[in-house]
Amino acid sequence: MALRIASLLQRQQVACTEILKRGVSSTSSCSQDGGWFNKLLVRKIEPTKESHSRMLSDKEVIYELQTHNLKPGTVAQYLKNYDQYVQEVKERNLHLELCGSWTVGVGDQDQCVHLWKYDGGYKSIDQAKRLMDEDTVIQNLLSDRNVHLRSRSNQYLLSFSFWPLVTPRQGGNIYEIRSYFLKPGTMIEWGNNWARAITFRQSNNEAFGGFFSQVGRLYNVHHIWCYSDMDHRKQSREDAWQHPGWDEVVAYTVPLIREMHTRILYPNHFSPTN
């Protein structure tokens, strides 16, 4: 659907350009006063004296999203190592908690994704790093893990204030992480639209977490959804289109996106949410 809207937007833009060349009056559908085409354009973001993070998130909690790309054939050894690492972190007072751990099933293969939560903001991150740097057991686990990795990356994220709190799920679910890379300067516009959109995606309790990057690749948004299976995913996404206003949200947000991709995730055996 997003591709159809983008294609339609492109065709409408070409049509409006031709109309404007012919000197159409301000009452046309391309006018500055409104019209279908104007609604699809990225609206102007007004200057603000508050940071985007302060306006979009009201929690003193930092999330870390770790992405590990594994050497083929090493997943079992890697997960055994990571399980032990999680247990060691639990035993230490690091204000650090694992919220979810998954292996990618559809998307980037031989990849694992982990979501950690730091209570206490960046002070907790600084403290945890100092303690882990001095901890021989944890450093040995990190060193042993490296032999299984092809590459890795991480980001510090904030949770959107209008998304539900991240809470454990039970019942053998699958998860989907949809990652959006936005045009710089459009994060507030994205938040304004999704504060409305999230109300359309609550009937099946599929909203797990919504985040935006603070450190790492910027203007990156991650939405994580929880489904009982792939058919539940299909039904939930189709149900959203039955809500009046969902189509407008899609139309408004598509022009904000520079790149997007999605992955289906399966919980690892030590994940606190499954």
Side-chain angles (χ1 to χ4, degrees):
M1 184 61 186
L3 292 176
R4 294 202 301 270
I5 291 174
S7 177
L8 187 59
L9 174 62
Q10 184 177 18
R11 292 199 300 271
Q12 185 74 5
Q13 187 173 13
V14 171
C16 285
T17 300
E18 292 301 316
I19 292 172
L20 291 174
K21 285 180 179 179
R22 295 196 297 268
V24 73
S25 70
S26 61
T27 59
S28 75
S29 62
C30 301
S31 73
Q32 295 299 313
D33 296 329
W36 182 87
F37 172 67
N38 228 34
K39 290 180 180 179
L40 291 183
L41 295 177
V42 179
R43 295 189 293 276
K44 181 181 179 181
I45 304 300
E46 297 298 331
T48 175
K49 296 185 181 299
E50 291 189 87
S51 67
H52 290 181
S53 59
R54 181 66 64 183
M55 297 175 68
L56 294 170
S57 181
D58 57 7
K59 306 174 184 67
E60 287 298 322
V61 174
I62 308 295
Y63 290 88
E64 180 182 6
L65 186 68
Q66 298 178 350
T67 302
H68 291 172
N69 297 304
L70 312 181
K71 296 177 182 177
T74 66
V75 174
Q77 302 97 306
Y78 166 85
L79 291 178
K80 181 178 179 180
N81 172 281
Y82 208 94
D83 184 7
Q84 187 176 352
Y85 170 79
V86 171
Q87 301 308 315
E88 294 293 339
V89 169
K90 283 182 180 179
E91 295 178 2
R92 291 156 175 77
N93 184 26
L94 299 178
H95 301 284
L96 178 59
E97 176 187 356
L98 182 67
C99 296
S101 176
W102 304 275
T103 296
V104 175
V106 181
D108 300 299
Q109 299 294 283
D110 298 306
Q111 185 180 85
C112 287
V113 178
H114 313 283
L115 182 66
W116 291 86
K117 180 175 72 173
Y118 291 86
D119 287 317
Y122 288 106
K123 289 183 179 180
S124 295
I125 292 176
D126 294 335
Q127 179 185 16
K129 184 180 187 309
R130 286 194 297 267
L131 293 176
M132 286 194 286
D133 284 347
E134 299 169 357
D135 193 302
T136 302
V137 173
I138 287 183
Q139 289 303 308
N140 286 338
L141 286 170
L142 294 176
S143 178
D144 292 342
R145 181 197 302 167
N146 287 339
V147 301
H148 307 308
L149 298 176
R150 291 184 291 112
S151 63
R152 57 182 177 172
S153 63
N154 68 335
Q155 292 174 299
Y156 290 138
L157 313 170
L158 291 178
S159 174
F160 285 112
S161 58
F162 47 83
W163 270 72
L165 294 175
V166 175
T167 56
R169 304 291 180 90
Q170 302 297 324
N173 300 294
I174 66 170
Y175 293 78
E176 179 179 18
I177 180 168
R178 299 179 68 86
S179 300
Y180 304 88
F181 303 94
L182 307 184
K183 297 176 182 178
T186 62
M187 188 64 72
I188 296 296
E189 182 78 356
W190 182 272
N192 288 341
N193 279 286
W194 267 95
R196 178 188 179 196
I198 196 63
T199 63
F200 303 138
R201 299 293 303 274
Q202 295 292 346
S203 57
N204 294 316
N205 196 32
E206 67 262 37
F208 180 76
F211 312 93
F212 61 100
S213 59
Q214 286 289 285
V215 182
R217 185 168 181 176
L218 299 179
Y219 285 96
N220 191 187
V221 170
H222 302 283
H223 292 171
I224 303 179
W225 306 94
C226 176
Y227 305 106
S228 57
D229 51 35
M230 289 296 289
D231 189 63
H232 177 214
R233 172 186 179 272
K234 174 179 177 292
Q235 188 61 50
S236 296
R237 290 176 57 79
E238 290 178 352
D239 287 348
W241 289 95
Q242 306 307 312
H243 295 281
W246 174 257
D247 57 339
E248 292 183 0
V249 169
V250 174
Y252 288 149
T253 54
V254 164
L256 309 179
I257 301 170
R258 301 181 68 175
E259 179 187 343
M260 60 185 289
H261 71 278
T262 182
R263 290 163 285 176
I264 299 297
L265 312 174
Y266 294 93
N268 294 321
H269 67 274
F270 53 83
S271 177
T273 190
N274 55 45

